[in-house]
Amino acid sequence: MLLKKIGAKSKDYLVLFLKTSSIHGLNHLVAPRRHICEICLWLFVLIISIFGSIYLSQTTWLRYQSSPTVVSMDRDMYAWNTTFPCVTICNDQKVDPAKLEQFIQSRDVKDKGELKAFLLALANATFTSFDTIPIYKDVDPTQYLDILLSISTGFKPSLTIGVLGRDLEIIPTITEMGLCYAINSKVAVYNSPNYLKAKRWDMIKDQNDSLMVHPLDGEVFAHIMNLSSSYYVYVHGPLEGPDIASKYQHSPKMFYMKIYVTAITVYTSPEAASLTIGQRRCRFAHENNLTHFAVYSYTYCKMECRARLCLKYCKCLPYFYRAIGDEKICDIEGLHCLAKHKDALYKLRDNRGQKISCGCLPICEDVNYVIQSNDIQEWFLGTNLQWGIASYPRMRYRRDIIFGFTDLLVAVGGMAGLFLGCSVLSFLEIIYFLTLRLFYYTRTNLRN
């Protein structure tokens, strides 16, 4: 008997809601003297309308989640500064003969010539040449990096930056090509020997800002003079670094190389920066999801991908990667194992030629440099390098919001209004009938 009364009151309450609701079509379901066919027709129309509203609203939501940004162009070249080109220089001669000889004499080994050949091969080996390292087991793999740093050639050239009077810092950095030296970079310090040796993972707040130039500064060039050997030079943005697959320029010893570039800048507006990573499809340096690097960059992400492949193929990492937890540094057998997979590690493609998915996103604040000219000539005064911006960019790219949260609300509200004729008040009515109105309705019936 009690259950029948509760069922009857619940039915009356539902009819009350359907009669008074501002959502179009609901009142026709409970209007008096309606044929069953009319009720079924209106029920069908309501179901179709609800489905259409939900489907189109879901499509709009997916658009907001996947592509709410657009890349536009700024053309006022005098309204912004451009980052001076960053370079990373890697010496061909990575080992100082005097330091190497001193180190070998300090070691108690039977065959010093064998140790010398091993260290020279190790210092110059990369993913493409690990198989050239001779077998030598008297050196602990965890000491490879420290030994190579102790016998590395010095890098103390003369560096000038034209008429600006600014000092550029030369930062030693560990790369996939061994020990290199970065200039005007903001991320190289996170791979520097001192940072790695201190086992740091924190962001460095007090480092110098990158050098910025303006069209009114005129032609600005940097000069490095008296390099100790032939070298490879990589030109990149301030928040990026080189990897084994990056493009480079090579200069023999006793040559003067002049590199002139133009810049293409991509930056993100504050509004777009407030979106999630998946929405803007780029990452800032502090939005790091890498386990072997303290900051994020696109090339660091590719290096992280290679590190995962090294662990997958050979259960170890080459000495220039940072080992985490119980990860091992590769010994000679491990390096020779990596050489068997050098194509996959270098090109990041599998045996079928398919690109290996690394999940790497571009950085949100990026500067790409396009080399316009590379002039190299023999120079009897030493091995020198000059680089700079040949022509200032006349436009830059801006990542901005084209479909924001307000647009999402308007679109979803339009769908609800088009199909059901409802508004925000209609949804508040539903909440009202499920809470406050239901409470007083129940209390009144209990009293009666």
Side-chain angles (χ1 to χ4, degrees), residues 63-205:
R63 179 191 174 190
Y64 174 68
Q65 290 296 324
S66 61
S67 56
T69 61
V70 65
V71 177
S72 58
M73 292 183 293
D74 289 346
R75 292 188 175 274
D76 187 3
M77 62 181 293
Y78 295 100
W80 67 80
N81 295 324
T82 302
T83 304
F84 188 76
C86 309
V87 298
T88 297
I89 300 172
C90 302
N91 288 331
D92 277 338
Q93 183 179 344
K94 298 184 180 300
V95 176
D96 186 310
K99 293 180 180 178
L100 175 60
E101 191 64 30
Q102 183 179 2
F103 174 80
I104 291 176
Q105 295 303 323
S106 66
R107 301 282 291 195
D108 184 17
V109 294
K110 296 180 180 179
D111 193 338
K112 296 184 182 298
E114 193 177 49
L115 174 59
K116 181 178 181 179
F118 166 74
L119 292 178
L120 287 173
L122 181 66
N124 293 283
T126 62
F127 283 115
T128 58
S129 57
F130 280 143
D131 53 352
T132 63
I133 303 176
I135 296 177
Y136 190 84
K137 300 184 178 181
D138 290 342
V139 178
D140 188 345
T142 59
Q143 297 179 355
Y144 286 173
L145 180 59
D146 292 335
I147 293 174
L148 293 179
L149 291 175
S150 67
I151 62 176
S152 63
T153 55
F155 191 83
K156 296 181 180 179
S158 174
L159 173 62
T160 60
I161 187 63
V163 298
L164 293 183
R166 283 283 303 274
D167 292 329
L168 292 180
E169 187 179 3
I170 300 176
I171 302 174
T173 181
I174 307 299
T175 70
E176 292 175 335
M177 295 72 69
L179 178 63
C180 299
Y181 300 89
I183 301 171
N184 204 36
S185 172
K186 293 184 70 66
V187 298
V189 66
Y190 297 102
N191 258 11
S192 64
N194 290 337
Y195 186 88
L196 299 178
K197 187 175 181 180
K199 298 182 179 180
R200 296 177 60 180
W201 290 94
D202 59 307
M203 297 285 291
I204 298 177
K205 305 294 185 181

Side-chain angles (χ1 to χ4, degrees), residues 102-400:
Q102 183 179 2
F103 174 80
I104 291 176
Q105 295 303 323
S106 66
R107 301 282 291 195
D108 184 17
V109 294
K110 296 180 180 179
D111 193 338
K112 296 184 182 298
E114 193 177 49
L115 174 59
K116 181 178 181 179
F118 166 74
L119 292 178
L120 287 173
L122 181 66
N124 293 283
T126 62
F127 283 115
T128 58
S129 57
F130 280 143
D131 53 352
T132 63
I133 303 176
I135 296 177
Y136 190 84
K137 300 184 178 181
D138 290 342
V139 178
D140 188 345
T142 59
Q143 297 179 355
Y144 286 173
L145 180 59
D146 292 335
I147 293 174
L148 293 179
L149 291 175
S150 67
I151 62 176
S152 63
T153 55
F155 191 83
K156 296 181 180 179
S158 174
L159 173 62
T160 60
I161 187 63
V163 298
L164 293 183
R166 283 283 303 274
D167 292 329
L168 292 180
E169 187 179 3
I170 300 176
I171 302 174
T173 181
I174 307 299
T175 70
E176 292 175 335
M177 295 72 69
L179 178 63
C180 299
Y181 300 89
I183 301 171
N184 204 36
S185 172
K186 293 184 70 66
V187 298
V189 66
Y190 297 102
N191 258 11
S192 64
N194 290 337
Y195 186 88
L196 299 178
K197 187 175 181 180
K199 298 182 179 180
R200 296 177 60 180
W201 290 94
D202 59 307
M203 297 285 291
I204 298 177
K205 305 294 185 181
D206 56 350
Q207 62 175 320
N208 295 331
D209 292 332
S210 297
L211 174 64
M212 309 292 287
V213 292
H214 190 270
L216 297 180
D217 294 331
E219 294 184 349
V220 179
F221 299 101
H223 302 263
I224 291 183
M225 293 169 283
N226 301 321
L227 288 157
S228 58
S229 71
S230 56
Y231 60 89
Y232 294 87
V233 59
Y234 300 83
V235 183
H236 54 84
L239 296 175
E240 279 291 359
D243 68 349
I244 190 64
S246 299
K247 294 182 179 179
Y248 59 82
Q249 307 297 319
H250 183 261
S251 172
K253 193 173 183 180
M254 302 302 292
F255 275 75
Y256 195 155
M257 184 162 64
K258 299 177 181 179
I259 299 176
Y260 306 116
V261 303
T262 186
I264 301 175
T265 302
V266 180
Y267 75 103
T268 302
S269 68
E271 294 78 13
S274 64
L275 297 173
T276 65
I277 296 171
Q279 287 176 307
R280 52 179 140 87
R281 286 191 264 184
C282 67
R283 286 182 181 271
F284 289 96
H286 64 273
E287 296 174 330
N288 187 26
N289 65 337
L290 310 178
T291 58
H292 295 85
F293 299 91
V295 293
Y296 181 86
S297 80
Y298 180 74
T299 52
Y300 284 177
C301 181
K302 291 200 298 180
M303 292 165 67
E304 173 92 2
C305 190
R306 290 191 183 95
R308 292 197 299 266
L309 291 176
C310 290
L311 294 171
K312 175 183 177 182
Y313 294 146
C314 303
K315 312 300 181 184
C316 64
L317 294 173
Y319 71 89
F320 45 72
Y321 284 151
R322 199 173 189 178
I324 307 299
D326 57 353
E327 295 172 351
K328 298 190 303 181
I329 299 297
C330 292
D331 55 12
I332 297 302
E333 286 79 5
L335 294 176
H336 287 183
C337 172
L338 294 179
K340 298 177 182 178
H341 306 278
K342 60 183 179 181
D343 290 337
L345 294 171
Y346 177 75
K347 300 176 183 178
L348 291 179
R349 293 184 179 274
D350 59 22
N351 296 331
R352 297 171 296 175
Q354 299 293 324
K355 188 175 182 180
I356 296 174
S357 177
C358 295
C360 294
L361 295 174
I363 55 177
C364 295
E365 305 283 347
D366 194 14
V367 184
N368 294 307
Y369 298 98
V370 179
I371 296 179
Q372 289 190 335
S373 65
N374 178 21
D375 182 28
I376 185 169
Q377 60 187 13
E378 197 167 0
W379 192 251
F380 66 94
L381 293 178
T383 307
N384 299 340
L385 169 66
Q386 174 182 292
W387 78 96
I389 297 180
S391 59
Y392 286 92
R394 296 183 177 273
M395 68 176 183
R396 63 175 180 172
Y397 296 99
R398 171 188 173 100
R399 184 180 287 105
D400 210 345

